[in-house]
Amino acid sequence: SKMVALGEMIENIAHQWRQPLSVISTGATGMKMQKEFDCLSDEVFNNTCMTINENAQYLSQTIEDFKNFIKGDSKKEIFSIEDNMNSFLSLVQGSIKSNNINVLIDLEKSIKIDGYKNELIQCYLNIFNNSKDAFKDNKIMHKYFFIDVSYENEKFVIKLKDNAGGMPDEILQKIFEPYFTTKPETHGIGLGLYLSRQIIEKSMKGKPTVSSKDTTTIFTIILPFD
């Protein structure tokens, strides 16, 4: 399970880095060519250097984001759900862009949760990666991933929804079981959602559920208000 999680993390980093590295490479080679033909203006030089620096800073921040997530201490603390979601989105931003996924967020910014923020992000990642794969497998053209966080009946309710094709009942009934997967053996071992359930139930004292209707699948995380 650790190797699978590491592989997914490396894949996310690769997605994050691909575009800025391309921008840096294009800017440097472009200036070199213009210099050889003696047509490199001061304006182009300054603008390109600024663009290269901005993308280098972005790469540096990406390293910091992933480092903070990986080395995050497993300790219970009070954290902002808005900051928690932003940290998650920063980790998958490359995948969102490369797969043309539209992410729509509706959350109450004032919500603060007492729990394990990095473990909760891992749950989001597992659910998002399943949606990303389903978009590809079902050849969905217009991809949407919805995030909805609210406070209902003295509970925190986090809903992660996609339009990736839905799931039949026989899969829904087994989705949180260990080693259950619909993916080829080389692409998954069926532990992501099982581990997510363990985190939510045992560490966060909450409850995960999943439902599906037509082309929509909704993962719901219900957390207690202490």
Side-chain angles (χ1 to χ4, degrees):
S1 64
K2 289 183 179 179
M3 293 301 293
V4 171
L6 180 60
E8 291 176 347
M9 191 63 63
I10 292 173
E11 181 183 359
N12 281 322
I13 293 173
H15 281 304
Q16 294 277 66
W17 278 34
R18 191 166 287 118
Q19 184 176 359
L21 285 174
S22 176
V23 171
I24 291 171
S25 177
T26 300
T29 55
M31 283 198 299
K32 183 175 183 295
M33 184 176 294
Q34 290 179 68
K35 181 67 174 177
E36 290 174 353
F37 286 94
D38 198 26
C39 62
L40 178 62
S41 67
D42 290 342
E43 182 181 3
V44 170
F45 174 79
N46 290 329
N47 289 339
T48 304
C49 286
M50 186 181 300
T51 300
I52 289 174
N53 181 61
E54 287 174 351
N55 281 272
Q57 294 297 324
Y58 174 80
L59 293 176
S60 178
Q61 184 59 49
T62 300
I63 294 173
E64 197 67 24
D65 289 340
F66 279 93
K67 184 179 72 174
N68 289 338
F69 172 69
I70 292 171
K71 67 178 284 191
D73 295 330
S74 182
K75 63 179 181 179
K76 194 174 184 182
E77 60 183 302
I78 297 175
F79 58 88
S80 161
I81 190 63
E82 182 182 19
D83 292 343
N84 191 237
M85 280 298 175
N86 286 337
S87 295
F88 156 65
L89 291 173
S90 73
L91 295 176
V92 297
Q93 191 60 37
S95 291
I96 290 171
K97 289 183 178 179
S98 63
N99 290 280
N100 296 314
I101 300 173
N102 298 288
V103 177
L104 303 177
I105 307 174
D106 182 15
L107 59 81
E108 296 179 24
K109 296 182 178 181
S110 60
I111 289 179
K112 294 186 183 297
I113 293 176
D114 187 10
Y116 300 88
K117 61 182 181 181
N118 277 293
E119 281 84 348
L120 195 53
I121 290 174
Q122 184 63 57
C123 295
Y124 306 152
L125 285 170
N126 291 332
I127 295 170
F128 174 81
N129 286 332
N130 272 0
S131 295
K132 181 185 67 176
D133 291 340
F135 284 133
K136 183 178 180 180
D137 293 342
N138 295 324
K139 298 179 173 59
I140 305 298
M141 293 294 295
H142 303 290
K143 311 175 186 75
Y144 289 92
F145 188 81
F146 301 88
I147 299 171
D148 182 271
V149 184
S150 60
Y151 179 69
E152 304 173 14
N153 300 320
E154 298 187 347
K155 303 281 186 182
F156 296 117
V157 181
I158 302 170
K159 293 182 179 180
L160 305 175
K161 180 172 68 173
D162 66 38
N163 67 326
M167 294 185 191
D169 288 340
E170 57 267 26
I171 291 179
L172 287 175
Q173 294 172 7
K174 299 179 180 179
I175 200 72
F176 291 117
E177 293 181 5
Y179 304 108
F180 174 77
T181 179
T182 59
K183 302 174 186 177
E185 188 173 336
T186 54
H187 288 78
I189 59 175
L191 282 177
L193 292 177
Y194 167 73
L195 293 174
S196 295
R197 186 183 72 176
Q198 298 301 304
I199 291 170
I200 295 165
E201 290 182 346
K202 295 185 177 181
S203 297
M204 308 286 287
K205 307 303 180 186
K207 179 182 179 181
T209 63
V210 59
S211 62
S212 184
K213 183 178 180 181
D214 299 327
T215 61
T216 300
T217 299
I218 305 173
F219 282 91
T220 303
I221 300 171
I222 300 174
L223 300 176
F225 175 71
D226 296 329

